[in-house]
Amino acid sequence: LYTAPDSCEGRCGEPFSEEDECHCHTECEKHHNCCEDHERHCGPEGFSSSRDSITDQELLELSEQLYGVDHNKARPGDIAINPQHRAGPDETGDKQDLSPQPLYKYVNEELFSKPTYASFIKLLDNYLRATGREEEVTAEELREQERFLEEVMKTELMKKLFAFLRGKNRYGSEQEFVQDLKEMWFGLYSRGDGEQDSSGFEHVFSGEVKKGKVSGFHNWIRFYLLEKQGVVNYFSHNFDGPWDTYPDVLGLQFSWDGFYKEVGSAFIGSSPEFEFGLYSLCFLARPGRACHLSLGGHRLSVQTYPWTKATYGGGRRFIATAYVMSP
């Protein structure tokens, strides 16, 4: 379904990693393992010079900075969760509800009136969850996308992310950045037989059902709202992150109207702009690979994959998925 990227765009001079299917470091020509477009991007005349590559250390530092300016995240008293049963590796596929109580005991819904939350929540009902069914995007839904992007770009977190990416020559203006975010996240592509039935935003934040299984669905707000309605049933968790404040990370099992998610993961208590910004950063810096970050002194990784069967804007890739990895 997904393949790792085979391009040096934005990767020139990055350190060697065995995870990569082709390489863009200075020694790759000697080892005959460069990506095909290495010369075009990284040669003397190339336009992805090594100074514009994003180092592992910069990702660690920037993620800590973004974590520090997530002013809209939940405070410790805003959410109370009840994780109950911790599933072992041999239990996650059992489809057994091992936790009789809901995951969320309490959420301070005043959070949802903050502009980024309110505009995010409006987007969640814009999708048909079954893949293979064409998405019809109304004028109102387009306005809701614009509104969400407007609101997140007002935050210090997204302004800091943009400043970093502009410094790396990824974008020349905020307008260009916002337009690219709109395409990579909201642009439609086909997970089925040619129908424009999916987008990165739908998959990651709203969730889809494909071949009888839950696909994507990595957002705590979406989970809470559907659990409250009685259509999501929490089964167990297989990972609980080391954070004693929010955002935390949970690996979890659940069913959605009877469709099962064997191993899901989600930030708990993060603002919409935090997840949106962090996933965007990792998709731009490490598409198709583990993106190693640090939050509050604790390491974690985000995995993203590009959609490889369709492109926009001169060969750019849509987001296929993005999620926080639970060990």
Side-chain angles (χ1 to χ4, degrees), residues 218-254:
H218 297 287
N219 180 254
W220 76 270
I221 299 167
R222 174 72 161 161
F223 190 101
Y224 166 74
L225 293 172
L226 291 182
E227 185 178 62
K228 186 179 169 187
Q229 290 173 28
V231 294
V232 158
N233 181 13
Y234 170 72
F235 281 15
S236 56
H237 72 289
N238 61 302
F239 173 77
D240 192 353
W243 295 271
D244 53 10
T245 183
Y246 296 114
D248 198 354
V249 176
L250 201 67
L252 66 167
Q253 292 70 49
F254 61 92

Side-chain angles (χ1 to χ4, degrees), residues 126-128 133-138 141-142 145 181-191 194-203 208 307 309-312 317-319:
N126 289 356
Y127 300 102
L128 302 167
R133 292 174 63 191
E134 186 96 17
E135 293 289 348
E136 304 268 345
V137 184
T138 66
E141 288 170 355
L142 284 173
Q145 293 172 11
L181 287 173
K182 187 175 181 183
E183 292 283 1
M184 75 170 76
W185 279 105
F186 295 104
L188 293 174
Y189 51 81
S190 174
R191 286 184 198 262
E195 312 87 355
Q196 299 290 86
D197 61 351
S198 189
S199 67
F201 187 93
E202 175 185 6
H203 180 85
E208 298 179 297
W307 187 253
K309 298 174 186 173
T311 59
Y312 68 90
R317 304 281 194 193
F318 299 104
I319 289 176

Side-chain angles (χ1 to χ4, degrees), residues 114-181:
K114 292 176 184 253
T116 58
Y117 285 81
S119 58
F120 173 81
I121 289 168
K122 273 196 159 51
L123 293 167
L124 294 174
D125 64 357
N126 289 356
Y127 300 102
L128 302 167
R129 71 179 179 189
T131 57
R133 292 174 63 191
E134 186 96 17
E135 293 289 348
E136 304 268 345
V137 184
T138 66
E140 184 182 355
E141 288 170 355
L142 284 173
R143 280 196 297 274
E144 288 173 355
Q145 293 172 11
E146 302 270 359
R147 179 75 194 278
F148 172 70
L149 291 167
E150 276 173 25
E151 293 299 343
V152 296
M153 286 310 299
K154 290 177 187 173
T155 65
E156 186 180 351
L157 187 152
M158 289 297 286
K159 287 187 183 304
K160 188 175 280 290
L161 174 60
F162 167 65
F164 174 82
L165 293 170
R166 183 174 56 185
K168 291 292 182 180
N169 287 322
R170 292 302 204 276
Y171 300 100
S173 68
E174 188 171 308
Q175 183 183 3
E176 185 190 345
F177 178 47
V178 171
Q179 185 57 38
D180 198 37
L181 287 173

Side-chain angles (χ1 to χ4, degrees), residues 35-53:
C35 299
E36 283 183 17
D37 61 2
H38 177 262
E39 181 64 25
R40 183 161 68 92
H41 285 289
C42 310
E45 306 300 317
F47 49 83
S48 289
S49 65
S50 58
R51 72 175 179 274
D52 296 337
S53 68

Side-chain angles (χ1 to χ4, degrees), residues 279-293:
Y279 290 155
S280 299
L281 168 65
C282 284
F283 183 69
L284 292 164
R286 299 287 186 270
R289 294 175 293 151
C291 175
H292 303 300
L293 309 173

